[in-house]
Amino acid sequence: MTTPFLHVQAEQAVKAGGARETGEASKASVADGIYEAVKATETNKMNKVNRTDFAGQAKPAKVNETRQMGEADQVDQTVYRSKIWPGLKLYRKERHILLEAPEPMDSLGSAVYGGGMHSLQRFVNIYVDRFYHCEDPVRDIRNLLGEWGYSEQGTAGLLTAVQLKHAAVAEELGADFGVLCCATAGVSNAARAGVPRTTFPASWTPGTINIMLVVDGRMTPAAMMNAVITATEAKAAALSDLGVRDAENGLTATGTTTDAVMLGVSQRAEWPLLHAYAGTATDLGGTIGRLVYDAVRESLAAAGGPK
C-alpha cells in the first residue's frame, strides 16, 4: 500500500491557443512542436500521471475536485520541464530529442554511443532515415554531438528511424522516487525473441523502439538492472496487447530487432530509501512498468498505430 504523498496532477494549456480541457486521464499533447506545460498540485488520494504525446491534439486532464488549479507554467516552445524531478528537461530539436538532468546520473543501457554503465548527464535520441546504415555509428554520433555543442563526456547517443513528433512522455511521482519515460516507437521490424528467425552477424541499424528512462531516487546496481528488465517486459506487454506480430512467423512480437533502452538514476541523498529491487511487485518497478507500457502505446498511436 502506497503512503499518501505529493502527486502530479495535470492542467494542460496549449501555449499557442491557451485552451484547456478536462476529462479522465492526466495527459497532455504537443502539436506543431509546442510542448504544453503542466502545473503540480497536492492530493492525497491516488497517483496521477502526466503524459505528453508529441504529435496528437490536446487530450483530457482530470481536474482535482477539491482544489483549484493554478495557472500553467510558461515554457519555451521546445522544452518540457519535468514535474517529478526539478531541473530535468526534455528538448525536442529538429533532428533529436535531448533529455538533460541537472546533475550526472548513474546510467545503464544499450545505447550505441555511451551504452553500458557510466556517469551521464544527458541522453540524445537522434533521428536518421530508416535506410541509414553505417559501419561506424559511434563516429557519426560523435560528429553530431560536436555539431550541436554537446560534450562527448557524460552523453549517451541513440539513433532512431521513428519520426520524433511521434515520441511520448509519461511521468509519475512516488513516495520514494520519481520516474519519467520518453519513448519513440515503431514496429515495422517487429520480432519475437526465443524462436527461430532470420538473424544477421554483428551489424547495426537504427533503433525502432528507443526508451529513455530516468529515476529520481536511489537504486543499487542490481536494482538498476532489474529496472531495465521490467521496462523490457512492459514494452513486450504493450506490443502483445496491441496485437503486434512477427512478420516472419505470425507469433506475438516481444520487441523489434533494433530496440534500445537507457536508464539514468539521480542517486540524490534527499531520498532516504535505497531501492534494492525494481521488479513488478515493487512500487518502483510497478511505476516503471506502467509508464513504459503507456509511453510505448502512445508513441505507436501517435504514428497511426501498429503497421
Side-chain angles (χ1 to χ4, degrees):
M1 182 173 180
T2 303
T3 304
F5 52 87
L6 177 67
H7 305 284
V8 176
Q9 174 105 13
E11 179 185 64
Q12 324 306 343
V14 180
K15 186 177 180 183
R20 298 185 182 89
E21 294 180 86
T22 60
E24 290 188 41
S26 178
K27 296 185 179 181
S29 296
V30 177
D32 302 323
I34 299 176
Y35 284 69
E36 297 177 19
V38 182
K39 187 69 178 178
T41 187
E42 286 189 348
T43 177
N44 60 359
K45 295 182 179 179
M46 63 177 65
N47 291 340
K48 298 298 178 184
V49 181
N50 165 53
R51 302 186 184 95
T52 302
D53 169 3
F54 287 49
Q57 299 300 315
K59 297 181 181 178
K62 186 170 183 178
V63 175
N64 188 325
E65 297 178 354
T66 62
R67 290 181 181 270
Q68 181 66 39
M69 294 294 174
E71 290 298 315
D73 295 337
Q74 294 300 308
V75 297
D76 297 333
Q77 290 187 344
T78 57
V79 62
Y80 177 88
R81 291 174 170 82
S82 171
K83 294 301 177 182
I84 61 92
W85 185 347
L88 181 76
K89 299 176 184 178
L90 278 166
Y91 301 85
R92 200 185 84 182
K93 308 290 186 175
E94 182 178 357
R95 194 182 161 186
H96 67 280
I97 293 174
L98 167 67
L99 184 155
E100 190 162 43
E103 301 291 341
M105 306 174 287
D106 283 359
S107 298
L108 169 68
S110 59
V112 64
Y113 182 95
M117 296 193 70
H118 301 284
S119 176
L120 304 175
Q121 193 161 356
R122 65 195 63 84
F123 302 154
V124 184
N125 194 12
I126 304 166
Y127 174 77
V128 294
D129 185 273
R130 62 178 296 185
F131 300 109
Y132 165 87
H133 182 77
C134 180
E135 294 181 355
D136 195 350
V138 172
R139 178 200 62 201
D140 287 353
I141 294 174
R142 182 180 293 114
N143 290 341
L144 288 170
L145 294 178
E147 178 183 333
W148 295 327
Y150 302 146
S151 171
E152 294 181 16
Q153 299 298 318
T155 302
L158 305 89
L159 295 177
T160 181
V162 176
Q163 293 187 40
L164 300 181
K165 66 181 181 179
H166 298 150
V169 175
E171 62 176 351
E172 182 172 326
L173 185 64
D176 301 300
F177 56 82
V179 180
L180 181 145
C181 175
C182 177
T184 51
V187 289
S188 58
N189 57 338
R192 180 181 180 89
V195 296
R197 71 176 328 278
T198 302
T199 59
F200 303 91
S203 59
W204 186 89
T205 54
T208 305
I209 300 180
N210 281 352
I211 295 170
M212 298 189 295
L213 181 68
V214 291
V215 175
D216 185 16
R218 298 173 58 218
M219 301 177 68
T220 65
M224 291 174 62
M225 190 66 250
N226 206 175
V228 171
I229 294 172
T230 298
T232 304
E233 291 175 349
K235 174 194 66 179
L239 299 186
S240 176
D241 289 351
L242 288 170
V244 178
R245 301 283 176 174
D246 184 323
E248 284 196 5
N249 50 47
L251 298 174
T252 300
T254 55
T256 82
T257 57
T258 56
D259 295 345
V261 58
M262 283 302 302
L263 168 68
V265 183
S266 71
Q267 307 291 23
R268 290 199 300 148
E270 290 88 339
W271 295 101
L273 178 62
L274 175 63
H275 296 273
Y277 307 97
T280 52
T282 65
D283 291 339
L284 176 57
T287 300
I288 289 171
R290 290 195 306 273
L291 298 192
V292 170
Y293 179 92
D294 288 345
V296 169
R297 285 180 62 106
E298 292 233 3
S299 181
L300 288 171
K307 296 294 191 291

